[in-house]
Amino acid sequence: RARVMGAKQPRPSLAELLVARARVMGAAEPEPTCRVTISMLGGKCWGEEAHPGWAVRDLRDQVAASLGFAKAQVKLLFGAAELQSRAPLERSGVGEGALLTAVVVPPIYPGSGVYEAIVSSAVGAPALGEESEERMQIVQDVMGKKARLNDAFQELLRRRARPGDRAGLGRWAMTPRRRTM
């Protein structure tokens, strides 16, 4: 910006001030954010902040937390296609103002091999209840709790991850062992 003597300069925006402060402090410029709209089939809509460099799973995890469901139960659709969880939002075409659809699926669903195996073993278990609907509710409750436990375990592993440890296994990462003879 050229300065003219006596001309009044506009005040910088908060974003400009933060970027200038980051430069002075030696930090990298903050990653830009974009606002996307999440809608559900029932009509509920809300906005979420995301970073274009995030993997789809990062936004999905944020949406799952907003909804109170396990991460594995939330699928994100862009148009008619399901977004791949490891793909960056930017490469998936998701940017500022994108409209995504969140679909909540049960932890297990009819037709899957896991569902069929669990149901076939639960059918003959009188301890689970008398009615088949009651048994199915018990099975789905257990699977939902297992999904939430798995999400919590994965989050714990991410927090303990060492720098550069892409798998997020932290001290549990596989390390080469020395052979002794």
Side-chain angles (χ1 to χ4, degrees), residues 41-76:
L41 298 176
K44 179 181 177 181
C45 287
W46 72 97
E48 292 280 352
E49 289 290 325
H51 296 275
W54 278 2
V56 170
R57 70 172 170 246
D58 297 324
L59 179 58
R60 182 211 54 212
D61 294 351
Q62 189 172 309
V63 170
S66 296
L67 293 171
F69 286 99
K71 297 169 191 174
Q73 289 183 260
V74 177
K75 308 288 182 201
L76 292 178

PDB file of all heavy atoms in Angstrom, residues 41-76:
ATOM      1  N   LEU A  41     -31.158 -35.542   6.087  1.00  0.00           N
ATOM      2  CA  LEU A  41     -32.353 -35.900   5.322  1.00  0.00           C
ATOM      3  C   LEU A  41     -33.635 -35.395   5.972  1.00  0.00           C
ATOM      4  O   LEU A  41     -34.605 -35.119   5.290  1.00  0.00           O
ATOM      5  CB  LEU A  41     -32.408 -37.414   5.126  1.00  0.00           C
ATOM      6  CG  LEU A  41     -31.234 -38.000   4.343  1.00  0.00           C
ATOM      7  CD1 LEU A  41     -31.338 -39.515   4.282  1.00  0.00           C
ATOM      8  CD2 LEU A  41     -31.148 -37.404   2.959  1.00  0.00           C
ATOM      9  N   GLY A  42     -33.626 -35.228   7.294  1.00  0.00           N
ATOM     10  CA  GLY A  42     -34.804 -34.730   8.000  1.00  0.00           C
ATOM     11  C   GLY A  42     -35.003 -33.230   7.876  1.00  0.00           C
ATOM     12  O   GLY A  42     -35.975 -32.678   8.380  1.00  0.00           O
ATOM     13  N   GLY A  43     -34.056 -32.511   7.231  1.00  0.00           N
ATOM     14  CA  GLY A  43     -34.197 -31.076   7.031  1.00  0.00           C
ATOM     15  C   GLY A  43     -33.316 -30.217   7.918  1.00  0.00           C
ATOM     16  O   GLY A  43     -33.201 -29.019   7.701  1.00  0.00           O
ATOM     17  N   LYS A  44     -32.700 -30.798   8.935  1.00  0.00           N
ATOM     18  CA  LYS A  44     -31.821 -30.030   9.822  1.00  0.00           C
ATOM     19  C   LYS A  44     -30.590 -29.568   9.035  1.00  0.00           C
ATOM     20  O   LYS A  44     -29.982 -30.359   8.323  1.00  0.00           O
ATOM     21  CB  LYS A  44     -31.409 -30.904  11.011  1.00  0.00           C
ATOM     22  CG  LYS A  44     -30.479 -30.226  11.980  1.00  0.00           C
ATOM     23  CD  LYS A  44     -30.100 -31.149  13.127  1.00  0.00           C
ATOM     24  CE  LYS A  44     -29.114 -30.475  14.053  1.00  0.00           C
ATOM     25  NZ  LYS A  44     -28.713 -31.335  15.151  1.00  0.00           N
ATOM     26  N   CYS A  45     -30.225 -28.283   9.171  1.00  0.00           N
ATOM     27  CA  CYS A  45     -29.043 -27.725   8.498  1.00  0.00           C
ATOM     28  C   CYS A  45     -28.257 -26.875   9.484  1.00  0.00           C
ATOM     29  O   CYS A  45     -28.841 -26.218  10.338  1.00  0.00           O
ATOM     30  CB  CYS A  45     -29.439 -26.837   7.333  1.00  0.00           C
ATOM     31  SG  CYS A  45     -30.053 -27.711   5.905  1.00  0.00           S
ATOM     32  N   TRP A  46     -26.940 -26.862   9.356  1.00  0.00           N
ATOM     33  CA  TRP A  46     -26.073 -26.006  10.155  1.00  0.00           C
ATOM     34  C   TRP A  46     -24.745 -25.839   9.437  1.00  0.00           C
ATOM     35  O   TRP A  46     -24.437 -26.551   8.502  1.00  0.00           O
ATOM     36  CB  TRP A  46     -25.884 -26.559  11.569  1.00  0.00           C
ATOM     37  CG  TRP A  46     -25.025 -27.780  11.657  1.00  0.00           C
ATOM     38  CD1 TRP A  46     -23.692 -27.825  11.961  1.00  0.00           C
ATOM     39  CD2 TRP A  46     -25.414 -29.142  11.446  1.00  0.00           C
ATOM     40  NE1 TRP A  46     -23.234 -29.120  11.946  1.00  0.00           N
ATOM     41  CE2 TRP A  46     -24.278 -29.947  11.636  1.00  0.00           C
ATOM     42  CE3 TRP A  46     -26.626 -29.753  11.107  1.00  0.00           C
ATOM     43  CZ2 TRP A  46     -24.314 -31.329  11.488  1.00  0.00           C
ATOM     44  CZ3 TRP A  46     -26.638 -31.134  10.972  1.00  0.00           C
ATOM     45  CH2 TRP A  46     -25.507 -31.900  11.160  1.00  0.00           C
ATOM     46  N   GLY A  47     -23.963 -24.877   9.883  1.00  0.00           N
ATOM     47  CA  GLY A  47     -22.673 -24.610   9.270  1.00  0.00           C
ATOM     48  C   GLY A  47     -21.542 -25.166  10.116  1.00  0.00           C
ATOM     49  O   GLY A  47     -21.647 -25.243  11.342  1.00  0.00           O
ATOM     50  N   GLU A  48     -20.478 -25.579   9.466  1.00  0.00           N
ATOM     51  CA  GLU A  48     -19.270 -26.067  10.140  1.00  0.00           C
ATOM     52  C   GLU A  48     -18.067 -25.383   9.518  1.00  0.00           C
ATOM     53  O   GLU A  48     -18.033 -25.157   8.312  1.00  0.00           O
ATOM     54  CB  GLU A  48     -19.115 -27.584   9.983  1.00  0.00           C
ATOM     55  CG  GLU A  48     -20.132 -28.429  10.705  1.00  0.00           C
ATOM     56  CD  GLU A  48     -19.862 -28.604  12.194  1.00  0.00           C
ATOM     57  OE1 GLU A  48     -18.781 -28.180  12.674  1.00  0.00           O
ATOM     58  OE2 GLU A  48     -20.725 -29.157  12.879  1.00  0.00           O
ATOM     59  N   GLU A  49     -17.072 -25.067  10.345  1.00  0.00           N
ATOM     60  CA  GLU A  49     -15.805 -24.529   9.860  1.00  0.00           C
ATOM     61  C   GLU A  49     -14.890 -25.702   9.543  1.00  0.00           C
ATOM     62  O   GLU A  49     -14.814 -26.662  10.307  1.00  0.00           O
ATOM     63  CB  GLU A  49     -15.135 -23.652  10.918  1.00  0.00           C
ATOM     64  CG  GLU A  49     -15.830 -22.335  11.160  1.00  0.00           C
ATOM     65  CD  GLU A  49     -15.711 -21.366  10.002  1.00  0.00           C
ATOM     66  OE1 GLU A  49     -14.661 -21.358   9.333  1.00  0.00           O
ATOM     67  OE2 GLU A  49     -16.672 -20.626   9.772  1.00  0.00           O
ATOM     68  N   ALA A  50     -14.202 -25.616   8.419  1.00  0.00           N
ATOM     69  CA  ALA A  50     -13.279 -26.677   8.012  1.00  0.00           C
ATOM     70  C   ALA A  50     -12.057 -26.044   7.376  1.00  0.00           C
ATOM     71  O   ALA A  50     -12.071 -24.873   6.989  1.00  0.00           O
ATOM     72  CB  ALA A  50     -13.961 -27.622   7.029  1.00  0.00           C
ATOM     73  N   HIS A  51     -11.005 -26.812   7.274  1.00  0.00           N
ATOM     74  CA  HIS A  51      -9.789 -26.386   6.586  1.00  0.00           C
ATOM     75  C   HIS A  51      -9.686 -27.191   5.299  1.00  0.00           C
ATOM     76  O   HIS A  51      -9.867 -28.409   5.318  1.00  0.00           O
ATOM     77  CB  HIS A  51      -8.556 -26.628   7.457  1.00  0.00           C
ATOM     78  CG  HIS A  51      -8.559 -25.822   8.710  1.00  0.00           C
ATOM     79  ND1 HIS A  51      -8.096 -24.531   8.747  1.00  0.00           N
ATOM     80  CD2 HIS A  51      -8.970 -26.101   9.964  1.00  0.00           C
ATOM     81  CE1 HIS A  51      -8.230 -24.064   9.975  1.00  0.00           C
ATOM     82  NE2 HIS A  51      -8.757 -24.992  10.734  1.00  0.00           N
ATOM     83  N   PRO A  52      -9.400 -26.557   4.174  1.00  0.00           N
ATOM     84  CA  PRO A  52      -9.316 -27.271   2.893  1.00  0.00           C
ATOM     85  C   PRO A  52      -8.315 -28.433   2.914  1.00  0.00           C
ATOM     86  O   PRO A  52      -8.507 -29.414   2.226  1.00  0.00           O
ATOM     87  CB  PRO A  52      -8.881 -26.195   1.897  1.00  0.00           C
ATOM     88  CG  PRO A  52      -9.310 -24.909   2.508  1.00  0.00           C
ATOM     89  CD  PRO A  52      -9.188 -25.110   3.992  1.00  0.00           C
ATOM     90  N   GLY A  53      -7.282 -28.344   3.735  1.00  0.00           N
ATOM     91  CA  GLY A  53      -6.280 -29.403   3.810  1.00  0.00           C
ATOM     92  C   GLY A  53      -6.675 -30.575   4.689  1.00  0.00           C
ATOM     93  O   GLY A  53      -5.989 -31.594   4.731  1.00  0.00           O
ATOM     94  N   TRP A  54      -7.780 -30.450   5.419  1.00  0.00           N
ATOM     95  CA  TRP A  54      -8.239 -31.541   6.274  1.00  0.00           C
ATOM     96  C   TRP A  54      -8.617 -32.746   5.431  1.00  0.00           C
ATOM     97  O   TRP A  54      -9.091 -32.613   4.301  1.00  0.00           O
ATOM     98  CB  TRP A  54      -9.483 -31.144   7.031  1.00  0.00           C
ATOM     99  CG  TRP A  54      -9.288 -30.342   8.274  1.00  0.00           C
ATOM    100  CD1 TRP A  54      -8.119 -29.886   8.790  1.00  0.00           C
ATOM    101  CD2 TRP A  54     -10.325 -29.901   9.146  1.00  0.00           C
ATOM    102  NE1 TRP A  54      -8.371 -29.182   9.933  1.00  0.00           N
ATOM    103  CE2 TRP A  54      -9.696 -29.178  10.179  1.00  0.00           C
ATOM    104  CE3 TRP A  54     -11.696 -30.040   9.148  1.00  0.00           C
ATOM    105  CZ2 TRP A  54     -10.425 -28.605  11.219  1.00  0.00           C
ATOM    106  CZ3 TRP A  54     -12.408 -29.464  10.175  1.00  0.00           C
ATOM    107  CH2 TRP A  54     -11.785 -28.764  11.203  1.00  0.00           C
ATOM    108  N   ALA A  55      -8.472 -33.914   6.017  1.00  0.00           N
ATOM    109  CA  ALA A  55      -9.039 -35.113   5.416  1.00  0.00           C
ATOM    110  C   ALA A  55     -10.544 -35.081   5.691  1.00  0.00           C
ATOM    111  O   ALA A  55     -10.997 -34.458   6.656  1.00  0.00           O
ATOM    112  CB  ALA A  55      -8.416 -36.367   6.023  1.00  0.00           C
ATOM    113  N   VAL A  56     -11.298 -35.744   4.850  1.00  0.00           N
ATOM    114  CA  VAL A  56     -12.757 -35.797   5.019  1.00  0.00           C
ATOM    115  C   VAL A  56     -13.097 -36.316   6.414  1.00  0.00           C
ATOM    116  O   VAL A  56     -14.030 -35.834   7.053  1.00  0.00           O
ATOM    117  CB  VAL A  56     -13.393 -36.681   3.922  1.00  0.00           C
ATOM    118  CG1 VAL A  56     -14.855 -36.956   4.211  1.00  0.00           C
ATOM    119  CG2 VAL A  56     -13.231 -36.020   2.558  1.00  0.00           C
ATOM    120  N   ARG A  57     -12.319 -37.274   6.920  1.00  0.00           N
ATOM    121  CA  ARG A  57     -12.629 -37.858   8.233  1.00  0.00           C
ATOM    122  C   ARG A  57     -12.565 -36.822   9.344  1.00  0.00           C
ATOM    123  O   ARG A  57     -13.265 -36.933  10.344  1.00  0.00           O
ATOM    124  CB  ARG A  57     -11.720 -39.043   8.527  1.00  0.00           C
ATOM    125  CG  ARG A  57     -10.301 -38.676   8.792  1.00  0.00           C
ATOM    126  CD  ARG A  57      -9.481 -39.873   9.269  1.00  0.00           C
ATOM    127  NE  ARG A  57      -8.091 -39.487   9.276  1.00  0.00           N
ATOM    128  CZ  ARG A  57      -7.169 -39.996   8.502  1.00  0.00           C
ATOM    129  NH1 ARG A  57      -7.477 -40.962   7.662  1.00  0.00           N
ATOM    130  NH2 ARG A  57      -5.936 -39.581   8.568  1.00  0.00           N
ATOM    131  N   ASP A  58     -11.708 -35.772   9.195  1.00  0.00           N
ATOM    132  CA  ASP A  58     -11.631 -34.734  10.223  1.00  0.00           C
ATOM    133  C   ASP A  58     -12.946 -33.968  10.308  1.00  0.00           C
ATOM    134  O   ASP A  58     -13.439 -33.694  11.406  1.00  0.00           O
ATOM    135  CB  ASP A  58     -10.474 -33.780   9.926  1.00  0.00           C
ATOM    136  CG  ASP A  58      -9.119 -34.475   9.961  1.00  0.00           C
ATOM    137  OD1 ASP A  58      -8.946 -35.384  10.791  1.00  0.00           O
ATOM    138  OD2 ASP A  58      -8.253 -34.114   9.150  1.00  0.00           O
ATOM    139  N   LEU A  59     -13.511 -33.622   9.165  1.00  0.00           N
ATOM    140  CA  LEU A  59     -14.803 -32.946   9.151  1.00  0.00           C
ATOM    141  C   LEU A  59     -15.902 -33.905   9.620  1.00  0.00           C
ATOM    142  O   LEU A  59     -16.775 -33.517  10.392  1.00  0.00           O
ATOM    143  CB  LEU A  59     -15.128 -32.411   7.753  1.00  0.00           C
ATOM    144  CG  LEU A  59     -16.472 -31.699   7.608  1.00  0.00           C
ATOM    145  CD1 LEU A  59     -16.580 -30.509   8.568  1.00  0.00           C
ATOM    146  CD2 LEU A  59     -16.679 -31.241   6.176  1.00  0.00           C
ATOM    147  N   ARG A  60     -15.832 -35.167   9.183  1.00  0.00           N
ATOM    148  CA  ARG A  60     -16.826 -36.154   9.613  1.00  0.00           C
ATOM    149  C   ARG A  60     -16.802 -36.309  11.138  1.00  0.00           C
ATOM    150  O   ARG A  60     -17.844 -36.389  11.782  1.00  0.00           O
ATOM    151  CB  ARG A  60     -16.540 -37.503   8.960  1.00  0.00           C
ATOM    152  CG  ARG A  60     -17.577 -38.553   9.348  1.00  0.00           C
ATOM    153  CD  ARG A  60     -17.062 -39.964   9.406  1.00  0.00           C
ATOM    154  NE  ARG A  60     -15.903 -40.082  10.255  1.00  0.00           N
ATOM    155  CZ  ARG A  60     -14.923 -40.956  10.043  1.00  0.00           C
ATOM    156  NH1 ARG A  60     -14.955 -41.756   9.018  1.00  0.00           N
ATOM    157  NH2 ARG A  60     -13.902 -41.030  10.865  1.00  0.00           N
ATOM    158  N   ASP A  61     -15.608 -36.324  11.741  1.00  0.00           N
ATOM    159  CA  ASP A  61     -15.489 -36.447  13.193  1.00  0.00           C
ATOM    160  C   ASP A  61     -16.129 -35.250  13.893  1.00  0.00           C
ATOM    161  O   ASP A  61     -16.806 -35.398  14.912  1.00  0.00           O
ATOM    162  CB  ASP A  61     -14.021 -36.558  13.607  1.00  0.00           C
ATOM    163  CG  ASP A  61     -13.360 -37.836  13.117  1.00  0.00           C
ATOM    164  OD1 ASP A  61     -14.073 -38.726  12.591  1.00  0.00           O
ATOM    165  OD2 ASP A  61     -12.122 -37.947  13.249  1.00  0.00           O
ATOM    166  N   GLN A  62     -15.940 -34.063  13.322  1.00  0.00           N
ATOM    167  CA  GLN A  62     -16.530 -32.843  13.875  1.00  0.00           C
ATOM    168  C   GLN A  62     -18.056 -32.906  13.782  1.00  0.00           C
ATOM    169  O   GLN A  62     -18.755 -32.553  14.725  1.00  0.00           O
ATOM    170  CB  GLN A  62     -15.973 -31.655  13.099  1.00  0.00           C
ATOM    171  CG  GLN A  62     -16.299 -30.308  13.651  1.00  0.00           C
ATOM    172  CD  GLN A  62     -15.520 -29.223  12.915  1.00  0.00           C
ATOM    173  OE1 GLN A  62     -14.320 -29.303  12.773  1.00  0.00           O
ATOM    174  NE2 GLN A  62     -16.231 -28.221  12.437  1.00  0.00           N
ATOM    175  N   VAL A  63     -18.565 -33.382  12.655  1.00  0.00           N
ATOM    176  CA  VAL A  63     -20.019 -33.506  12.468  1.00  0.00           C
ATOM    177  C   VAL A  63     -20.574 -34.558  13.428  1.00  0.00           C
ATOM    178  O   VAL A  63     -21.618 -34.339  14.060  1.00  0.00           O
ATOM    179  CB  VAL A  63     -20.353 -33.860  10.998  1.00  0.00           C
ATOM    180  CG1 VAL A  63     -21.816 -34.235  10.835  1.00  0.00           C
ATOM    181  CG2 VAL A  63     -19.985 -32.704  10.080  1.00  0.00           C
ATOM    182  N   ALA A  64     -19.884 -35.679  13.569  1.00  0.00           N
ATOM    183  CA  ALA A  64     -20.340 -36.737  14.482  1.00  0.00           C
ATOM    184  C   ALA A  64     -20.412 -36.216  15.913  1.00  0.00           C
ATOM    185  O   ALA A  64     -21.377 -36.501  16.636  1.00  0.00           O
ATOM    186  CB  ALA A  64     -19.408 -37.946  14.398  1.00  0.00           C
ATOM    187  N   ALA A  65     -19.411 -35.421  16.314  1.00  0.00           N
ATOM    188  CA  ALA A  65     -19.427 -34.844  17.655  1.00  0.00           C
ATOM    189  C   ALA A  65     -20.604 -33.877  17.817  1.00  0.00           C
ATOM    190  O   ALA A  65     -21.263 -33.869  18.863  1.00  0.00           O
ATOM    191  CB  ALA A  65     -18.107 -34.127  17.935  1.00  0.00           C
ATOM    192  N   SER A  66     -20.897 -33.089  16.791  1.00  0.00           N
ATOM    193  CA  SER A  66     -22.030 -32.163  16.845  1.00  0.00           C
ATOM    194  C   SER A  66     -23.347 -32.907  16.993  1.00  0.00           C
ATOM    195  O   SER A  66     -24.255 -32.446  17.671  1.00  0.00           O
ATOM    196  CB  SER A  66     -22.093 -31.310  15.578  1.00  0.00           C
ATOM    197  OG  SER A  66     -20.970 -30.484  15.464  1.00  0.00           O
ATOM    198  N   LEU A  67     -23.435 -34.060  16.346  1.00  0.00           N
ATOM    199  CA  LEU A  67     -24.677 -34.844  16.382  1.00  0.00           C
ATOM    200  C   LEU A  67     -24.764 -35.771  17.592  1.00  0.00           C
ATOM    201  O   LEU A  67     -25.835 -36.261  17.915  1.00  0.00           O
ATOM    202  CB  LEU A  67     -24.793 -35.682  15.104  1.00  0.00           C
ATOM    203  CG  LEU A  67     -25.005 -34.904  13.809  1.00  0.00           C
ATOM    204  CD1 LEU A  67     -24.886 -35.842  12.609  1.00  0.00           C
ATOM    205  CD2 LEU A  67     -26.355 -34.206  13.821  1.00  0.00           C
ATOM    206  N   GLY A  68     -23.615 -36.068  18.215  1.00  0.00           N
ATOM    207  CA  GLY A  68     -23.611 -36.976  19.358  1.00  0.00           C
ATOM    208  C   GLY A  68     -23.602 -38.442  18.966  1.00  0.00           C
ATOM    209  O   GLY A  68     -24.028 -39.291  19.739  1.00  0.00           O
ATOM    210  N   PHE A  69     -23.125 -38.753  17.760  1.00  0.00           N
ATOM    211  CA  PHE A  69     -23.039 -40.134  17.302  1.00  0.00           C
ATOM    212  C   PHE A  69     -21.584 -40.561  17.219  1.00  0.00           C
ATOM    213  O   PHE A  69     -20.678 -39.722  17.160  1.00  0.00           O
ATOM    214  CB  PHE A  69     -23.683 -40.292  15.916  1.00  0.00           C
ATOM    215  CG  PHE A  69     -25.182 -40.252  15.939  1.00  0.00           C
ATOM    216  CD1 PHE A  69     -25.871 -39.091  15.627  1.00  0.00           C
ATOM    217  CD2 PHE A  69     -25.918 -41.375  16.283  1.00  0.00           C
ATOM    218  CE1 PHE A  69     -27.253 -39.041  15.651  1.00  0.00           C
ATOM    219  CE2 PHE A  69     -27.301 -41.342  16.314  1.00  0.00           C
ATOM    220  CZ  PHE A  69     -27.966 -40.169  15.998  1.00  0.00           C
ATOM    221  N   ALA A  70     -21.364 -41.865  17.179  1.00  0.00           N
ATOM    222  CA  ALA A  70     -20.022 -42.396  16.970  1.00  0.00           C
ATOM    223  C   ALA A  70     -19.559 -42.035  15.562  1.00  0.00           C
ATOM    224  O   ALA A  70     -20.364 -41.942  14.636  1.00  0.00           O
ATOM    225  CB  ALA A  70     -20.022 -43.913  17.154  1.00  0.00           C
ATOM    226  N   LYS A  71     -18.272 -41.823  15.410  1.00  0.00           N
ATOM    227  CA  LYS A  71     -17.710 -41.425  14.112  1.00  0.00           C
ATOM    228  C   LYS A  71     -18.055 -42.417  13.015  1.00  0.00           C
ATOM    229  O   LYS A  71     -18.333 -42.026  11.880  1.00  0.00           O
ATOM    230  CB  LYS A  71     -16.194 -41.291  14.229  1.00  0.00           C
ATOM    231  CG  LYS A  71     -15.773 -40.220  15.199  1.00  0.00           C
ATOM    232  CD  LYS A  71     -14.290 -40.304  15.475  1.00  0.00           C
ATOM    233  CE  LYS A  71     -13.919 -39.421  16.638  1.00  0.00           C
ATOM    234  NZ  LYS A  71     -12.522 -39.580  17.020  1.00  0.00           N
ATOM    235  N   ALA A  72     -18.025 -43.698  13.344  1.00  0.00           N
ATOM    236  CA  ALA A  72     -18.290 -44.735  12.344  1.00  0.00           C
ATOM    237  C   ALA A  72     -19.728 -44.709  11.843  1.00  0.00           C
ATOM    238  O   ALA A  72     -20.026 -45.276  10.796  1.00  0.00           O
ATOM    239  CB  ALA A  72     -17.967 -46.108  12.925  1.00  0.00           C
ATOM    240  N   GLN A  73     -20.621 -44.036  12.562  1.00  0.00           N
ATOM    241  CA  GLN A  73     -22.024 -44.011  12.172  1.00  0.00           C
ATOM    242  C   GLN A  73     -22.360 -42.855  11.230  1.00  0.00           C
ATOM    243  O   GLN A  73     -23.478 -42.772  10.735  1.00  0.00           O
ATOM    244  CB  GLN A  73     -22.908 -43.907  13.417  1.00  0.00           C
ATOM    245  CG  GLN A  73     -22.939 -45.170  14.240  1.00  0.00           C
ATOM    246  CD  GLN A  73     -23.884 -45.019  15.407  1.00  0.00           C
ATOM    247  OE1 GLN A  73     -23.456 -44.777  16.510  1.00  0.00           O
ATOM    248  NE2 GLN A  73     -25.171 -45.152  15.138  1.00  0.00           N
ATOM    249  N   VAL A  74     -21.425 -41.938  10.998  1.00  0.00           N
ATOM    250  CA  VAL A  74     -21.708 -40.761  10.176  1.00  0.00           C
ATOM    251  C   VAL A  74     -20.998 -40.887   8.834  1.00  0.00           C
ATOM    252  O   VAL A  74     -19.805 -41.162   8.766  1.00  0.00           O
ATOM    253  CB  VAL A  74     -21.265 -39.469  10.899  1.00  0.00           C
ATOM    254  CG1 VAL A  74     -21.488 -38.255  10.022  1.00  0.00           C
ATOM    255  CG2 VAL A  74     -22.027 -39.316  12.209  1.00  0.00           C
ATOM    256  N   LYS A  75     -21.748 -40.702   7.769  1.00  0.00           N
ATOM    257  CA  LYS A  75     -21.229 -40.688   6.395  1.00  0.00           C
ATOM    258  C   LYS A  75     -21.510 -39.305   5.827  1.00  0.00           C
ATOM    259  O   LYS A  75     -22.565 -38.728   6.087  1.00  0.00           O
ATOM    260  CB  LYS A  75     -21.912 -41.743   5.520  1.00  0.00           C
ATOM    261  CG  LYS A  75     -21.911 -43.151   6.086  1.00  0.00           C
ATOM    262  CD  LYS A  75     -20.542 -43.745   6.030  1.00  0.00           C
ATOM    263  CE  LYS A  75     -20.590 -45.178   6.556  1.00  0.00           C
ATOM    264  NZ  LYS A  75     -19.326 -45.654   6.993  1.00  0.00           N
ATOM    265  N   LEU A  76     -20.571 -38.775   5.055  1.00  0.00           N
ATOM    266  CA  LEU A  76     -20.765 -37.480   4.400  1.00  0.00           C
ATOM    267  C   LEU A  76     -20.895 -37.677   2.903  1.00  0.00           C
ATOM    268  O   LEU A  76     -20.079 -38.374   2.291  1.00  0.00           O
ATOM    269  CB  LEU A  76     -19.592 -36.539   4.695  1.00  0.00           C
ATOM    270  CG  LEU A  76     -19.457 -36.059   6.139  1.00  0.00           C
ATOM    271  CD1 LEU A  76     -18.228 -35.173   6.289  1.00  0.00           C
ATOM    272  CD2 LEU A  76     -20.704 -35.327   6.598  1.00  0.00           C
TER     273      LEU A  76
END
